[in-house]
Amino acid sequence: MKIQVNGDSREYGDNCTVADVIADLGLTGKRIAVELNKEILPFTQHNSQPINDGDRLEIVQAIGGGQDDYFTLAGKQYRSRLLVGTGKYKDLEETRLATEASGAEIVTVAIRRTNIGQNPGEPNLLDVISPDKYTILPNTAGCYSAEDAVRTCRLARELLGGHKLVKLEVLADQLTLFPDVAETYVAAELLVKDGFDVMVYTNDDPIAAKRLEEIGCVAVMPLAAPIGSGLGIRNPYNILTIVENAKVPILVDAGVGTASDAAIAMELGCDGVLMNTAIAAAKNPVLMASAMKKGIEAGREAFLAGRMPRKRFASASSPIDGLFL
Ligand SMILES: CC(=O)[C@@H](O)[C@H](O)COP(=O)(O)O
């Protein structure tokens, strides 16, 4: 049978368990956390857990969101689960400082609005956000048709010397900046066929998210709320359903307002969060970038730790048996 292990497709025999995969990876005896189909498995139980054909297993090589907790995107591993945009900053120096403070490894760039070489002689973002240090993620912000989005991705590929990873967004109107999902399907299909690794912005709609995964997108990015609104996660149950059904990384994209919003996305089991306005429009963008980094890390650790069940009534925090008095 075929299963996905940290984003790679691997073959195993029938009656395979998590322990077999751990042994195959040479990790037997290590303290590791395991996510099976986006559900974290209790540390004490994961070894005997059976695996089925088509399952998705994420091996996190240390309990906690420490150095060994990475996620895989289009075959590359990333430790930072915070992805940042580059718009709306006062100047390039502020962009540089906030990006550094965020700890992000992936930085998205609106190809239609940002000079990365299209306008020789103008200040170039890549002078402060170096592709040697960051994975540049060209995005199609400002595109309202599949045709425009595909053309923009091809331009980015030329400008960045054959770069394949792109963030697709096809917008429906200027008031909401909600995605035009029908046009997004068309663009995603064309881009995947053309060899792009497509991370796709979409509604918080589990059906659309699944369809985009089936088209072959390498990551699906449901919105938390409208772009630039800072409203936070409007529909946590939809995000949870998307996460639970996914076989590719799910990243919340757009609408995050502050660090607790980012933490909630991670607590829901998202693989990461992409944001721009919450950092760039903060009174102190560099400090907010640092807060977002910590929010993401805290949310990830809380997800790995496993939340206590919610209860309707109280239960005493100290034991009630064997009272002294
Ligand atoms: C930067 C980018 O790609 C935006 O289109 C993205 O959706 C971020 O949204 P916020 O600005 O609301 O974080």
Side-chain angles (χ1 to χ4, degrees):
M1 65 183 167
K2 265 204 178 112
I3 65 168
Q4 292 283 319
V5 182
N6 292 354
D8 288 336
S9 182
R10 286 174 171 255
E11 295 263 5
Y12 289 94
D14 292 341
N15 306 322
C16 173
T17 63
V18 169
D20 297 324
V21 177
I22 290 172
D24 185 38
L25 298 175
L27 298 173
T28 304
K30 296 227 161 113
R31 277 177 65 77
I32 50 177
V34 173
E35 266 178 53
L36 181 59
N37 301 327
K38 303 305 293 177
E39 283 251 6
I40 204 82
L41 298 178
F43 183 57
T44 47
Q45 290 169 20
H46 64 53
N47 271 347
S48 54
Q49 178 75 34
I51 302 179
N52 299 309
D53 193 36
D55 277 352
R56 178 183 171 204
L57 202 64
E58 290 286 323
I59 308 284
V60 181
Q61 278 202 47
I63 297 291
Q67 273 303 298
D68 295 324
D69 178 25
Y70 54 77
F71 82 107
T72 310
L73 196 58
K76 191 169 168 193
Q77 291 175 350
Y78 296 95
R79 298 206 190 288
S80 170
R81 292 167 182 271
L82 172 56
L83 290 71
V84 293
T86 49
K88 299 180 178 165
Y89 286 102
K90 188 174 69 186
D91 53 30
L92 285 182
E93 181 58 4
E94 189 178 71
T95 314
R96 182 183 74 76
L97 291 171
T99 307
E100 252 172 40
S102 75
E105 295 169 292
I106 302 177
V107 177
T108 190
V109 177
I111 293 300
R112 296 188 111 184
R113 300 193 180 120
T114 314
N115 182 29
I116 59 163
Q118 309 93 312
N119 297 317
E122 299 275 305
N124 186 329
L125 179 83
L126 301 186
D127 291 341
V128 293
I129 304 294
S130 164
D132 297 336
K133 181 167 172 191
Y134 299 102
T135 294
I136 304 296
L137 176 63
N139 73 62
T140 60
C143 292
Y144 288 82
S145 68
E147 196 189 337
D148 272 357
V150 169
R151 190 176 338 104
T152 303
C153 289
R154 288 183 179 147
L155 171 64
R157 182 165 62 187
E158 256 174 55
L159 288 167
L160 294 167
H163 188 91
K164 280 168 52 180
L165 188 67
V166 290
K167 185 190 120 166
L168 171 65
E169 54 179 81
V170 186
L171 304 172
D173 71 33
Q174 292 191 359
L175 176 70
T176 64
L177 297 182
F178 279 145
D180 182 328
V181 176
E183 285 290 295
T184 303
Y185 292 158
V186 173
E189 264 166 12
L190 288 167
L191 290 169
V192 169
K193 273 199 199 114
D194 199 9
F196 284 95
D197 292 325
V198 181
M199 300 175 72
V200 61
Y201 165 70
T202 185
N203 278 325
D204 54 2
D205 169 356
I207 308 303
K210 197 68 199 167
R211 177 87 188 92
L212 289 162
E213 176 187 312
E214 286 162 1
I215 285 172
C217 294
V218 297
V220 176
M221 309 213 288
L223 52 79
I227 293 173
S229 69
L231 286 172
I233 299 185
R234 296 292 80 207
N235 221 333
Y237 292 103
N238 277 19
I239 300 288
L240 191 60
T241 306
I242 292 171
V243 165
E244 284 172 354
N245 291 336
K247 292 199 163 58
V248 295
I250 301 296
L251 297 96
V252 156
D253 175 11
V256 165
T258 189
S260 54
D261 298 332
I264 290 169
M266 298 309 295
E267 286 171 9
L268 289 169
C270 290
D271 295 274
V273 179
L274 189 153
M275 67 181 73
N276 189 163
T277 311
I279 298 177
K283 288 193 179 122
N284 183 335
V286 178
L287 191 57
M288 184 57 88
S290 165
M292 288 297 186
K293 177 175 189 276
K294 291 170 187 142
I296 295 275
E297 287 167 2
R300 175 66 181 167
E301 287 198 358
F303 170 70
L304 291 174
R307 194 196 193 290
M308 66 162 281
R310 288 179 174 85
K311 296 176 193 152
R312 188 166 160 206
F313 294 109
S315 69
S317 307
S318 51
I320 47 174
D321 292 339
L323 294 179
F324 298 133
L325 297 173

